[in-house]
Amino acid sequence: MKKMQLLLICFLFTWISLALAGPKEDADKAIADAETTNSKAGKVGFQWRDAEKIIKSAKKAAATKDYTNAIKLAKEAQDQGELAYKQYEKEFASKKY
């Protein structure tokens, strides 16, 4: 339960910070968050197949100043990273060998 509350608080702070910045900064922050989240999943060997491709697409969208699409793609990649890590926790982290 505490993990869910912490995750919710992190999302709220992320969205508040995105609301206060400009579109380029919003996209850069969203992409950085997606990279961080997917890196965490990758460190335990659970990064999903398309996450890096989606982040690359988000970076391309940001480079062409399509910030709305960049943020959408980064959010999708971040969601994949979070779900991948949850999958790891469910399948391996809770098991005691």
Side-chain angles (χ1 to χ4, degrees):
M1 186 66 172
K2 288 184 181 184
K3 287 182 184 180
M4 290 301 292
Q5 290 172 341
L6 181 61
L7 187 59
L8 179 61
I9 290 169
C10 288
F11 276 133
L12 290 174
F13 280 120
T14 300
W15 286 110
I16 289 170
S17 66
L18 289 175
L20 298 176
K24 182 183 184 326
E25 291 80 14
D26 294 348
D28 291 343
K29 173 85 169 100
I31 291 168
D33 290 346
E35 289 176 322
T36 301
T37 303
N38 279 284
S39 175
K40 181 180 175 182
K43 286 179 184 176
V44 295
F46 265 73
Q47 187 174 23
W48 287 1
R49 179 191 69 214
D50 294 334
E52 285 297 321
K53 293 176 191 174
I54 296 169
I55 291 171
K56 188 175 181 180
S57 295
K59 287 180 178 180
K60 285 182 182 178
T64 61
K65 299 183 180 174
D66 184 3
Y67 301 122
T68 302
N69 192 36
I71 292 168
K72 180 181 115 313
L73 290 166
K75 175 70 173 123
E76 180 181 347
Q78 183 174 358
D79 289 346
Q80 284 195 8
E82 290 168 357
L83 291 171
Y85 195 80
K86 285 179 185 177
Q87 179 183 11
Y88 160 75
E89 289 180 324
K90 185 175 182 179
E91 291 183 19
F92 292 100
S94 63
K95 292 183 181 178
K96 299 198 170 40
Y97 294 99

